[in-house]
Amino acid sequence: GQQVMQIPQYQHVQEGEDFTTYCNSSTTLSNIQWYKQRPGGHPVFLIQLVKSGEVKKQKRLTFQFGEAKKNSSLHITATQTTDVGTYFCAGVTTSGTYKYIFGTGTRLKVLA
Amino acid sequence: DAGITQSPRHKVTETGTPVTLRCHQTENHRYMYWYRQDPGHGLRLIHYSYGVKDTDKGEVSDGYSVSRSKTEDFLLTLESATSSQTSVYFCAISESRFGQEETQYFGPGTRLLVL
């Protein structure tokens, strides 16, 4: 079936190091959304990308949507302890049945 | 945070019993969703609603039913709970379908344990 995988599943970094998570879909997506979920919390929307090759920045966070609209990445520069949590991508598939699918998530731990 | 509440927040039940989870919103958003979250699977859509009495299935709808008799309330029912339905359940709302125009807002979640 249609899947959205994220790698890595877990990442531990020292505070100040950079971090990147990758989102890969088996089918083309009409858009990609990114969410952050703090431990014990609920997902919170970060950003949406719609156009092929689109790049958006939010302070230390850089989001990219691939040219083929099947993959995306989130890069955090100089991580801080407040960046701890699980990052999810999600998107709507454009092939076959209209589906909204979440990625498997990347759990980030930042060591002070 | 958007005005979304879920009840109960925690529940322990036994296999074979019916369970109903409630999601209540004060934002008057048209769309409401139920997701379950399990380790290694991210969030998976169970059912969603696009208006009063209008619902549709998600990717993991088997064993679940929903009802929406008022804009503000979306109920998720497990007719006969099984251990495989032990999970964290999140309700979400949005003004456009799957938050395509803005975003989805998530509730605090309900932890369900089926023994």
Side-chain angles (χ1 to χ4, degrees):
Chain A
Q2 294 155 332
Q3 290 186 344
V4 179
M5 303 298 293
Q6 283 183 248
I7 53 172
Q9 190 174 2
Y10 302 96
Q11 183 84 60
H12 292 183
V13 299
Q14 285 291 135
E15 189 174 22
E17 291 182 340
D18 292 356
F19 160 76
T20 304
T21 173
Y22 299 91
C23 174
N24 299 299
S25 172
S26 58
T27 60
T28 305
L29 302 172
S30 63
N31 67 340
I32 197 89
Q33 296 175 336
W34 283 93
Y35 291 81
K36 176 184 178 181
Q37 183 176 19
R38 292 184 186 277
H42 59 273
V44 175
F45 175 81
L46 294 176
I47 208 161
Q48 173 168 267
L49 305 171
V50 178
K51 299 175 185 174
S52 169
E54 188 171 11
V55 177
K56 286 189 177 181
K57 293 190 176 185
Q58 283 181 351
K59 297 182 180 177
R60 295 178 294 104
L61 277 61
T62 302
F63 304 84
Q64 188 165 4
F65 200 9
E67 294 290 341
K69 301 185 81 172
K70 294 179 74 172
N71 53 67
S72 181
S73 64
L74 158 60
H75 179 81
I76 302 178
T77 303
T79 54
Q80 300 175 358
T81 54
T82 54
D83 295 325
V84 165
T86 302
Y87 293 84
F88 293 98
C89 61
V92 174
T93 61
T94 60
S95 56
T97 309
Y98 184 99
K99 275 189 180 182
Y100 183 74
I101 303 177
F102 269 82
T104 47
T106 295
R107 185 182 295 178
L108 173 65
K109 206 166 192 175
V110 180
L111 307 171
Chain B
D1 284 344
I4 313 170
T5 55
Q6 292 184 230
S7 58
R9 294 293 312 280
H10 299 88
K11 185 162 182 74
V12 180
T13 191
E14 292 185 347
T15 298
T17 59
V19 176
T20 295
L21 308 183
R22 180 181 183 238
C23 177
H24 178 79
Q25 63 149 326
T26 58
E27 305 295 325
N28 201 36
H29 282 2
R30 176 182 174 187
Y31 293 86
M32 298 185 76
Y33 314 84
W34 277 108
Y35 293 91
R36 59 178 290 174
Q37 184 172 37
D38 305 289
H41 288 279
L43 289 104
R44 291 180 292 175
L45 181 66
I46 305 172
H47 283 279
Y48 72 100
S49 169
Y50 48 96
V52 172
K53 295 185 180 172
D54 293 322
T55 65
D56 205 353
K57 295 180 180 180
E59 63 177 303
V60 290
S61 59
D62 288 348
Y64 302 94
S65 63
V66 290
S67 66
R68 191 171 178 198
S69 58
K70 297 186 290 185
T71 299
E72 57 267 34
D73 290 324
F74 193 30
L75 304 180
L76 176 70
T77 298
L78 290 65
E79 303 290 348
S80 177
T82 66
S83 58
S84 64
Q85 292 176 311
T86 291
S87 187
V88 180
Y89 291 86
F90 286 100
C91 173
I93 64 173
S94 64
E95 289 187 297
S96 62
R97 185 165 60 163
F98 299 118
Q100 299 287 289
E101 302 301 320
E102 10 66 66
T103 183
Q104 292 184 58
Y105 298 95
F106 284 79
T110 294
R111 289 187 177 275
L112 176 66
L113 175 61
V114 183
L115 299 174

